[in-house]
């Protein structure tokens, strides 16, 4: 790949970190950042439910690992602190995670859904608890598109030009992840503030028209 990349007139990377990696491999390559993005869309007009939503393809091992961590290390404490909340796992590949879910913890598995944006928009809090994998996370962009507050690990937010406690909340331990969810559950105004800031960042930086502008000077 190092020999091949300089032959292209332009190499697109989805984040500054990825662009730096390309240049380490092929210092003479011409590289530009072209982030993952979503088409412009209206915020789904649905009612918020007392659920925490994690959406993804559960055929993908990092998402399976995230569910195992949630079910064993995070959600039991959430159920103790927030008995009104349910965890909803949205997406295909549900057969790969059902065995990880203890009974009695109010964890729902939807399987494939017609419109993930609508399912995400119903969440009181949207989470991205990934501990492995790479690349930028469309699931966070989808949560911002639905104007939902996000709690994510540092790895899940990697590659996004966002700030902790402004556009989302970063938490990397079971204790901090659970506390962040519980505090947002108890604070509607904070949820609204985070959701609006995330949605604003999406519109400014991560919609198709916004990222197309990045290519205009090239």
């Amino acid at each position: 790949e190092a020999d091949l990349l300089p032959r292209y007139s332009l190499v697109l990377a989805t984040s500054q970190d990825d662009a730096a990696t390309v240049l380490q491999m092929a210092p003479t390559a011409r590289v530009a950042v072209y982030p993952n993005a979503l088409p412009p869309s209206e915020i789904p007009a649905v009612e918020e439910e007392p659920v925490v939503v994690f959406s993804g393809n559960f055929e993908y091992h990092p998402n399976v690992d995230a569910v195992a961590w949630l079910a064993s290390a995070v959600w039991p404490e959430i159920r103790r602190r927030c008995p009104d909340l349910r965890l909803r796992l949205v997406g295909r590949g549900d057969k790969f995670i059902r065995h990880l879910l203890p009974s009695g913890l109010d964890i729902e598995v939807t399987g494939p859904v017609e419109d993930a944006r609508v399912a995400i928009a119903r969440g009181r809090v949207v989470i991205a608890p990934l501990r492995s994998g790479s690349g930028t996370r469309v699931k966070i962009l989808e949560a911002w598109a639905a104007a939902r507050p996000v709690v994510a690990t540092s790895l899940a937010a990697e590659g996004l030009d966002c700030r902790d406690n402004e556009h989302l909340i970063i938490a990397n331990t079971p204790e901090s992840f659970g506390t962040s969810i519980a505090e947002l559950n108890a604070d509607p105004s904070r949820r609204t503030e985070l959701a609006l800031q995330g949605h604003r960042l999406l519109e400014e930086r991560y919609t198709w028209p916004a990222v197309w502008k990045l290519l205009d000077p090239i």
Side-chain angles (χ1 to χ4, degrees):
E1 289 186 6
D3 293 334
L4 180 62
L5 292 174
R7 300 180 188 179
Y8 293 98
S9 58
L10 182 65
V11 178
L12 299 179
T14 59
S15 70
Q16 291 289 354
D17 289 343
D18 289 347
T21 298
V22 172
L23 288 174
Q24 286 179 350
M25 296 168 55
T28 60
R30 189 182 184 208
V31 184
V33 175
Y34 187 79
N36 285 327
L38 299 179
S41 63
E42 297 292 327
I43 297 171
V46 296
E47 291 292 326
E48 176 192 285
E49 299 177 13
V51 296
V52 173
V53 172
F54 175 34
S55 70
N57 175 5
F58 298 110
E59 298 170 357
Y60 179 53
H61 181 265
N63 286 338
V64 176
D65 173 76
V67 169
W69 184 66
L70 270 175
S72 63
V74 178
W75 200 251
E77 179 64 12
I78 290 294
R79 286 294 297 147
R80 186 187 70 80
R81 296 177 61 175
C82 307
D84 61 316
L85 281 182
R86 304 188 307 277
L87 175 62
R88 183 173 293 163
L89 306 173
V90 176
R92 71 176 185 268
D94 48 301
K95 68 180 181 180
F96 296 103
I97 57 174
R98 290 185 180 275
H99 68 285
L100 299 172
L101 309 178
S103 60
L105 287 182
D106 272 339
I107 301 177
E108 306 172 9
V109 181
T110 68
V113 295
E114 184 174 343
D115 190 339
R117 295 176 310 142
V118 172
I120 290 168
R122 296 187 190 281
R124 184 170 290 173
V125 179
V126 177
I127 58 174
L130 297 181
R131 304 188 301 166
S132 62
S134 61
T136 54
R137 314 299 175 187
V138 174
K139 57 171 56 67
I140 293 178
L141 301 183
E142 290 174 333
W144 288 341
R148 294 290 80 207
V150 176
V151 178
T153 59
S154 297
L155 182 73
E158 191 175 70
L160 295 173
D161 188 14
C162 56
R163 289 185 289 274
D164 183 20
N165 286 314
E166 181 177 346
H167 304 109
L168 77 177
I169 293 176
I170 299 294
N172 292 307
T173 66
E175 294 77 17
S176 63
F177 209 92
T179 295
S180 298
I181 294 171
E183 289 179 349
L184 283 176
N185 184 56
D187 192 343
S189 63
R190 179 67 172 135
R191 295 201 303 270
T192 299
E193 178 187 21
L194 271 181
L196 291 177
Q197 292 288 4
H199 186 70
R200 185 174 295 119
L201 180 64
L202 174 87
E203 292 190 320
E204 292 174 353
R205 301 287 301 272
Y206 297 107
T207 60
W208 288 355
V211 298
W212 289 336
K213 292 177 183 177
L214 298 176
L215 295 183
D216 288 343
I218 300 174

